[in-house]
Amino acid sequence: LFMIMGWAGLPCAVLWGWIADRICRTRAVTAILALQAVSFALFALWTDSAGLTISAVLFGLTIWGGPPIVAVICGDMVGPVAAPAAYGFLTAFHALGQAAGPYVAGRMADAFDSFTGAYLLACGVAVLGALGMVLLSARAARPTVAQLG
């Protein structure tokens, strides 16, 4: 599965950059997070080889697409001077999730004798991220006072 995920991930940054240029950056990140949510749900609920393979392909196709687009969105939102600080701030919170995730998943697996709940929690977090991007997209679509003025 890791090899399949790796092969699927090879073109993903270029692919998602191209998609972001066509449909807008926030919509591309929303799509990435939605596809990752589907991948996590499949891994939790469809545990035969077909489900796990589809999950791995979906995850591979999305894993490296988000970070470069999010870095550009930071520049769009706060300008080129503050973009590195904004992206660093987001990366710090991402790191907290990466650090806490294995602990929480392990505790859940101990409590429920399965990792299914942990993968469903990851699915829920990805859905919340996608909804957050929808809200960000709606906020970005509203004209600012300077644009109206």
Side-chain angles (χ1 to χ4, degrees):
L1 283 178
F2 282 109
M3 183 181 73
I4 292 168
M5 196 177 346
W7 282 109
L10 286 175
C12 84
V14 173
L15 172 69
W16 284 104
W18 180 81
I19 291 170
D21 287 344
R22 302 288 166 300
I23 67 170
C24 108
R25 294 174 183 126
T26 54
R27 287 182 184 154
V29 175
T30 302
I32 288 169
L33 290 166
L35 288 170
Q36 286 181 349
V38 171
S39 171
F40 300 148
L42 286 174
F43 204 87
L45 302 172
W46 189 10
T47 58
D48 67 13
S49 61
L52 296 176
T53 301
I54 293 168
S55 172
V57 168
L58 283 175
F59 189 73
L61 285 172
T62 58
I63 187 59
W64 304 116
I69 301 170
V70 170
V72 175
I73 291 171
C74 287
D76 292 344
M77 292 185 69
V78 299
V81 173
Y87 190 62
F89 183 76
L90 290 176
T91 302
F93 280 95
H94 183 248
L96 289 174
Q98 284 187 312
Y103 174 78
V104 171
R107 296 294 294 205
M108 290 176 74
D110 287 345
F112 302 114
D113 293 325
S114 169
F115 279 100
T116 299
Y119 284 109
L120 292 175
L121 177 61
C123 172
V125 170
V127 167
L128 288 175
L131 292 173
M133 289 306 297
V134 168
L135 294 174
L136 182 64
S137 182
R139 179 178 166 257
R142 283 185 271 148
T144 64
V145 174
Q147 291 169 328
L148 293 173

